[in-house]
Amino acid sequence: MPVFYGTEVASPLMLGTAQYPSPAVLAEAFRRSGAGVATVSVRREAGGERAGRDFWRLISGLGVRVLPNTAGCHSAREAVTTARMARELFETDWIKLEVIGNADTLQPDPFGLVEAARLLVTEGFKVFPYMTEDLVLADRLLQAGCEVLMPWGAPIGTGLGLLNPYGLRSLRAHFPDVPMVIDAGLGLPSQAAAAMEMGFDAVLLNTAVAKAGDPAAMAEGFAKALEAGRLAHGAGPMPPRDMAAPSTPVIGKAFL
């Protein structure tokens, strides 16, 4: 199972907690998938309102690790403030850091991301930065003290899958010992399996499950796909070839 900041989690599947048709459906999705981590939005749960307390009670009952996020932040300052609120509210120093730079694609702002990561690490946070597959950005985030990277598969909520397999493979190859989580853009379990076959450690998703016709069944499907991908990566896949090669030996073949 993946290890993040010295903590082993129960599953390589990390699920978001937004957009489900009901709290009961959310709980069933977590139960059937065995997801090890739940991401929660500070903006949704803060403020001490009754709905927030009920939601937090539900999440606490899932028995999973909580990963608060800074969703909706568009500057380093805003993200750092939100992270501090999250630590107080959820009593964890884990934080999924989002600093959005483009409103249409929800692409991360690399400059704000590094600035916020550096500040949060000095305050003792264990930062999970949502980023693109950019190698230079990855290196800067590691230099800032991040021990986990979360490259996107595609823009949030699109379900397009792994748009840049070359870039993701390159990122994985350049930093083989860094725990990495594919975050955002996945729509199908087969895409999650492909990410694991590349050697990524986990995936984080929300919309693909929450907006499925049967969220619990889809969550279970993702969990099984992750296991298949993990096994395939560990088994050492055969290298692809341009030319055909017979799988049946031809030695001893009769010539007519």
Side-chain angles (χ1 to χ4, degrees), residues 61-80:
L62 297 175
V64 299
R65 183 89 189 196
V66 174
L67 177 61
N69 64 56
T70 63
C73 293
H74 290 262
S75 71
R77 181 177 180 180
E78 189 179 8
V80 169

Side-chain angles (χ1 to χ4, degrees), residues 1-90:
M1 289 299 111
V3 176
F4 304 121
Y5 290 101
T7 298
E8 183 177 272
V9 297
S11 164
L13 178 59
M14 306 165 80
L15 280 181
T17 55
Q19 307 184 74
Y20 288 86
S22 72
V25 173
L26 184 157
E28 181 64 9
F30 272 83
R31 187 190 69 78
R32 287 184 57 176
S33 68
V37 174
T39 60
V40 294
S41 168
V42 177
R43 293 174 181 275
R44 178 180 172 187
E45 310 315 326
E49 298 178 358
R50 183 175 179 78
R53 292 200 301 272
D54 290 344
F55 180 80
W56 176 232
R57 191 176 299 114
L58 169 66
I59 298 301
S60 299
L62 297 175
V64 299
R65 183 89 189 196
V66 174
L67 177 61
N69 64 56
T70 63
C73 293
H74 290 262
S75 71
R77 181 177 180 180
E78 189 179 8
V80 169
T81 300
T82 303
R84 290 168 178 162
M85 292 170 57
R87 182 157 59 183
E88 295 297 322
L89 187 64
F90 298 107

Side-chain angles (χ1 to χ4, degrees), residues 3 16 30 56 66 76 87 101 123-124 130 148 168 194 196 198 221 228 239 250:
V3 176
F30 272 83
W56 176 232
V66 174
R87 182 157 59 183
E123 295 183 13
Y130 163 66
V148 177
L168 291 171
M196 297 300 286
M198 289 183 186
V250 296

